[in-house]
Amino acid sequence: MATTGNRNIHVAPLDLSDRNSIAKFIAAWREPLHILVNNAGVMALPEQRTPEGWEMQFATNYLGQFALALGLHDALAAEGAARIVSVSSSGHLMSPIVFDDIHFMFRPYDPWLAYGQSKTASILFAVGTTARWFKDGITANALMPGAIATNLQRHTGGLRTPPERQKTIAQGAATSVLLATSGLLKGVGGRYFEDCNEATLVTNGNGYMSGVAPYALNPDNADRLWNESLRLLA
C-alpha cells in the first residue's frame, strides 16, 4: 500500500501448502471476485513434502492454487466475466505430469523435474478450468513471465539467464496484466502466453526457453489432472 498509494489494498495470510490456511482464506472472502492471479510459487526445492505426503512444488505451485480457485468459484461466477491468470513457466518444457508418480514416491527426486511438472499442471489448470467454468463466465489462461531476478532462485544459486534475456519486475508482470485486463482476451481461455503473445507450439524441449508443449494443452491430460486433484483434496 505504501508503494502504490492505494488505500484499497488489503492483505490476508495465505499459505498454499497448508489446506487449513487456504480454507480460512476462502471462508473469509465475501465479495464477487473479478480477477484471480495465481502467482505464488517455489522453484527447484530440495525434497520436501506436505503433511499429506505431497511433493512440495506440486502442492504449492499447483494443488494449493487449484484448491483456492475451487473454493472461490462462486465468488468468481458472481462477477459474471471473471478471469483466472495462472503463472506458469518455460520450465514446463522439462516435464509432463508423470501421473503414475506425481509425488516421487518411486522415482528418485529431481528438483527440476518436480518444478517442471508443477508448471505443466499450471497450464493444464487453465485448460481444465475454462472447459468446466466457461458457462459460469469464468476463463483461465496461463503464462510465462520471463526471467526476473527475485528470491525465487534462492535454491539455484541466483538467476543464470543471460542478461539480454532477463526482465525487470514490471516487464515480467506485463503478460499477467495483459491476461487479466485486455479486452482482446474477453471470452478467451485455455491458452498459454509469453512476451504478451500466445506461445508457439513446440515438439521438443526447445532448450527450455520458449514455446508450449502439446502435453500442457492436451484436454485429456487436463481432465485427468482435474480428477486426480479432486481425489487428493477429498
Side-chain angles (χ1 to χ4, degrees):
M1 185 168 64
T3 57
T4 65
N6 187 342
R7 294 183 177 276
N8 292 319
I9 293 176
H10 304 279
V11 179
L14 176 61
D15 181 347
L16 289 170
S17 67
D18 183 338
R19 297 181 69 181
N20 289 329
S21 176
I22 296 168
K24 288 179 181 177
F25 185 92
I26 292 167
W29 193 269
R30 294 287 185 270
E31 305 171 31
L33 180 57
H34 304 272
I35 301 165
L36 174 62
V37 180
N38 288 324
N39 182 70
V42 290
M43 175 190 280
L45 295 182
E47 186 172 6
Q48 299 179 42
R49 299 184 180 275
T50 68
E52 296 85 356
W54 303 333
E55 191 278 314
M56 186 62 75
Q57 294 189 83
F58 185 82
T60 304
N61 295 351
Y62 164 69
L63 198 55
Q65 297 179 3
F66 177 87
L68 178 66
L70 206 65
L72 293 173
H73 169 270
D74 290 350
L76 289 159
E79 198 281 328
R83 299 185 187 189
I84 299 175
V85 178
S86 186
V87 179
S88 182
S89 168
S90 59
H92 84 275
L93 296 165
M94 296 180 183
S95 179
I97 304 291
V98 181
F99 284 102
D100 290 331
D101 192 20
I102 289 175
H103 301 290
F104 290 85
M105 304 301 290
F106 296 92
R107 54 191 170 134
Y109 178 74
D110 183 296
W112 285 111
L113 293 182
Y115 177 72
Q117 77 161 359
S118 76
K119 290 303 182 177
T120 293
S122 296
I123 305 172
L124 290 171
F125 170 72
V127 176
T129 299
T130 301
R132 287 162 177 78
W133 294 355
F134 187 83
K135 65 183 184 301
D136 301 320
I138 302 167
T139 54
N141 287 295
L143 72 124
M144 159 64 171
I148 306 116
T150 67
N151 65 359
L152 182 67
Q153 298 94 18
R154 61 188 178 276
H155 296 291
T156 69
L159 184 63
R160 300 180 182 181
T161 305
E164 64 273 13
R165 294 187 61 87
Q166 295 182 23
K167 294 184 178 182
T168 65
I169 292 175
Q171 289 169 336
T175 306
S176 293
V177 173
L178 176 82
L179 299 188
T181 64
S182 175
L184 295 173
L185 295 173
K186 182 179 180 180
V188 174
R191 304 186 188 186
Y192 175 82
F193 293 76
E194 57 191 9
D195 297 326
C196 294
N197 285 283
E198 190 169 358
T200 301
L201 202 67
V202 296
T203 56
N204 56 50
N206 199 33
Y208 311 128
M209 296 301 291
S210 64
V212 60
Y215 56 70
L217 295 174
N218 184 291
D220 292 335
N221 289 345
D223 288 345
R224 187 174 181 184
L225 179 62
W226 190 281
N227 292 332
E228 176 63 11
S229 302
L230 291 177
R231 187 191 70 80
L232 289 169
L233 293 171

